[in-house]
């Protein structure tokens, strides 16, 4: 719901700053999820944006299309979509809601898993497991960030990407747009998570 409201405003701001529609490309940051049809894309972004802006899918299995940015402290190989790395500006959109193992959605998830290679995604998601072999890591749960190894690994990997700017939406329990946060990757996401948690967590 939020992105179809947000994107026309964002595109108009880019146009006003001298960036024409022809210089903009939307990448669907699907990670390992199914590819969207043109109809799906129009339903997500709205018919006006679908008609204005060219778009592409990320392919997590296309290793030849990925750039290697080293490894995280947890040992995750940082292999990301080269088209994203090469872009002058990466505007990361998405919604911030509780996520069952990343703590919250939004922010860094547009990079990892969004436009990451399969090996990168699998290595990151393995961090859900407790190294002691007792099940899930205790920090891996909804609304958990500070001690969540999956989130911290995502944040570190996304922090290797230069030229990012986050514009994330906040939706209420009825999926209605109630707010937007924008700015640098880590601080903006942290602010959005705090607001989303206040709205959506049961005390």
């Amino acid at each position: 719901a939020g992105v179809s409201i947000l994107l026309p405003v964002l595109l108009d701001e880019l146009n006003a700053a001298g960036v024409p529609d022809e210089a903009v490309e939307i990448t669907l940051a699907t990670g390992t999820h199914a590819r969207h049809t043109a109809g799906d894309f129009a339903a997500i972004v709205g018919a006006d944006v679908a008609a204005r802006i060219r778009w592409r899918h990320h392919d997590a299995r296309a290793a030849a299309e990925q750039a290697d940015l080293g490894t995280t402290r947890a040992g995750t190989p940082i292999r990301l979509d080269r088209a994203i790395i090469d872009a002058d500006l990466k505007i990361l959109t998405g919604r911030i809601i509780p996520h069952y193992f990343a703590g919250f959605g939004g922010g860094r998830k547009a990079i990892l898993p969004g436009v990451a290679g399969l090996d990168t995604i699998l290595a990151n998601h393995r961090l859900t497991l407790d190294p002691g072999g007792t099940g899930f890591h205790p920090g891996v749960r909804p609304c958990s960030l500070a001690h969540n190894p999956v989130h911290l690994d995502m944040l570190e990997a996304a922090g290797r990407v230069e030229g990012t700017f986050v514009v994330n939406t906040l939706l209420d329990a009825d999926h209605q747009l109630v707010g937007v946060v924008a700015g640098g990757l880590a601080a903006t996401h942290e602010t959005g998570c705090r607001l989303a948690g206040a709205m959506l967590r049961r005390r």
Side-chain angles (χ1 to χ4, degrees), residues 97-105 108 128 136-148 150-151 193 196-197 200-203:
I97 57 173
H99 186 276
Y100 63 107
F101 68 80
F104 286 93
R108 72 286 187 245
T128 58
F136 285 106
H137 189 286
V140 173
R141 61 185 188 277
C143 302
S144 169
L145 294 178
H147 303 291
N148 186 332
V150 177
H151 159 69
C193 291
L200 301 173
R201 288 184 69 178
R202 295 183 65 180
R203 301 300 175 187

Side-chain angles (χ1 to χ4, degrees), residues 53-76:
I53 305 298
R54 71 183 188 278
W55 62 284
R56 61 184 286 271
H57 282 102
H58 165 66
D59 185 350
R61 293 169 174 81
E65 298 175 6
Q66 295 161 14
D68 188 341
L69 276 65
T71 59
T72 67
R73 287 186 291 271
T76 299

